[in-house]
Amino acid sequence: MGNRAPTLEDVAREAGVSRATVSRVVNGVRNVAPDIQRSVRDAIARIGYTPNQAARSLVTRRTGTVALVLSATGRSFTARVFSDPFFGRVVDGVLPVLRRRAIHPVLLVAESEQARTQLVEYLRQGGADGALVVPLDENDPLPAMLMAAGLPTVLFGRPRDGEKCGFVDLDNAAGARLAAEHLWATGRRRPALIAAPVTAPTAGERLDGFMEALAAHGVTSVPVVRGRFTVDSGRRAMARLLKDHPGIDAVFAANDLMAQGACQYLREQGVAVPGTVAVVGFDDSVAARKARPQLTTVRQPVERMAAAMAGLLVEQLDGARSEPGAKVFEPVLVVREST
């Protein structure tokens, strides 16, 4: 073949089958016997054939790409995306699943009404085969827009009531209960909460789970200050809690970055962690291990969740599911130095 790139005809000769058979194997058509599929794939490997994506798309009507969409509103959106380890963990989980199928992710950001409208139109015109969406606001309209357009979509987090969409999620309330029960078991009787922004999809579940667990022990009044999922907001929340409630002996923060900020502020004020105030975070991100002391935290298996999200979308695209799939993961408490 010299310097010429291998063709379907070359693969067919090498495998001893017709060009049409090779085409069906390359394009994922299922009516080819397994032994013939193996012969064709072996021939492809031997001669180094690479399918022409443009030609393949004409046959399969698939682009070989999916959109990985980060969707939210607000001016601080971009800053949060690049400072929170959560988003990198989502990418780490999605990539291996898509790579095994030779599917490429296209990162898209939907931070405004205009951006959301453009994104839906991009997908409707065939820019990508489906969407993996990470909504950061509870009332994000994008999932409903994608479903109304009939586009294959899977969410990181539960859809709103009445929206029929594939999703993966964590039992956030159960995770917050684990944090509360651990603090109670270690003798903490005056806990406080650094809660998520009220618009965050997980905010209500994590707050309610924590409060419900403590209420079962007779604790009906818990100081609450809301942060913004950042280290600085955790510092500010901790400062306010210490000022207004100096007798607190424990803090549960709705993510590790806020818990890290709380630990920083306590250390600067000479308050011992965990001697005087115990601290528990949420996520088990790299921030939990970088904090001083290292954080006790509720593990959210973000990489596994993201991989499951990608798998559910691939199943939709392959027609393996007639209904949107869903998977809910269970949290685990990881005990470290901060309690």
Side-chain angles (χ1 to χ4, degrees):
M1 288 180 283
N3 293 326
R4 177 175 62 84
T7 65
L8 285 178
E9 288 80 3
D10 297 323
V11 177
R13 280 193 296 273
E14 181 73 16
V17 298
S18 69
R19 183 188 186 282
T21 297
V22 174
S23 179
R24 286 198 295 273
V25 173
V26 168
N27 291 310
V29 179
R30 298 184 179 186
N31 63 345
V32 181
D35 58 332
I36 295 177
Q37 290 188 42
R38 283 193 296 273
S39 296
V40 171
R41 292 194 180 106
D42 287 346
I44 288 172
R46 284 195 300 273
I47 70 173
Y49 171 74
T50 302
N52 181 290
Q53 187 60 48
R56 186 176 181 181
S57 296
L58 291 174
V59 176
T60 63
R61 298 186 182 278
R62 297 263 291 271
T63 66
T65 63
V66 298
L68 177 56
V69 184
L70 306 179
S71 181
T73 57
R75 288 178 297 177
S76 62
F77 170 62
T78 304
R80 184 190 163 194
V81 167
F82 289 104
S83 63
D84 193 331
F86 169 80
F87 302 103
R89 296 176 67 191
V90 171
V91 174
D92 284 345
V94 164
L95 283 179
V97 177
L98 299 182
R99 194 170 284 138
R100 285 196 294 270
R101 297 295 305 270
I103 297 173
H104 302 283
V106 178
L107 179 63
L108 299 174
V109 176
E111 81 292 356
S112 66
E113 181 179 356
Q114 181 184 19
R116 286 187 287 273
T117 300
Q118 290 175 345
L119 186 148
V120 172
E121 189 59 27
Y122 168 78
L123 293 174
R124 289 183 64 177
Q125 292 180 5
D129 299 320
L132 300 166
V133 182
V134 184
L136 304 186
D137 292 335
E138 185 177 26
N139 295 316
D140 191 332
L142 181 61
M145 294 168 66
L146 292 168
M147 285 178 277
L151 297 164
T153 302
V154 180
L155 307 183
F156 195 108
R158 294 176 188 269
R160 292 181 296 186
D161 291 343
E163 294 179 351
K164 196 173 184 180
C165 184
F167 71 91
V168 299
D169 199 12
L170 183 79
D171 189 338
N172 288 281
R177 287 193 293 270
L178 288 175
E181 293 294 351
H182 175 67
L183 290 172
W184 188 265
T186 56
R188 310 295 171 158
R189 298 295 183 264
R190 300 181 303 279
L193 172 62
I194 301 177
V198 69
T199 57
T202 60
E205 292 180 3
R206 294 182 188 180
L207 186 150
D208 291 346
F210 191 72
M211 296 299 196
E212 288 166 4
L214 291 174
H217 292 291
V219 179
T220 57
S221 179
V222 177
V224 178
V225 175
R226 291 194 182 273
R228 298 186 60 82
F229 287 130
T230 65
V231 172
D232 284 344
S233 72
R235 289 172 57 88
R236 290 192 297 270
M238 192 70 249
R240 182 173 166 188
L241 285 171
L242 276 187
K243 178 183 177 185
D244 296 344
H245 308 278
I248 60 174
D249 61 3
V251 172
F252 169 52
N255 87 331
D256 289 338
L257 290 175
M258 293 192 296
Q260 184 181 22
C263 286
Q264 287 180 4
Y265 187 81
L266 288 167
R267 186 170 64 247
E268 291 167 5
Q269 299 304 307
V271 179
V273 179
T276 304
V277 178
V279 179
V280 178
F282 203 112
D283 284 337
D284 195 24
S285 67
V286 65
R289 295 180 292 279
K290 284 186 174 181
R292 293 294 177 268
Q294 290 191 339
L295 290 173
T296 291
T297 185
V298 178
R299 176 173 292 161
Q300 178 174 214
V302 175
E303 292 86 354
R304 288 172 51 211
M305 294 169 68
M309 176 174 66
L312 290 173
L313 182 61
V314 168
E315 288 178 0
Q316 280 192 46
L317 297 177
D318 287 348
R321 283 186 177 273
S322 57
E323 296 290 331
K327 186 169 184 179
V328 178
F329 289 74
E330 291 298 320
V332 175
L333 184 73
V334 180
V335 179
R336 296 193 180 96
E337 301 164 351
S338 66
T339 58

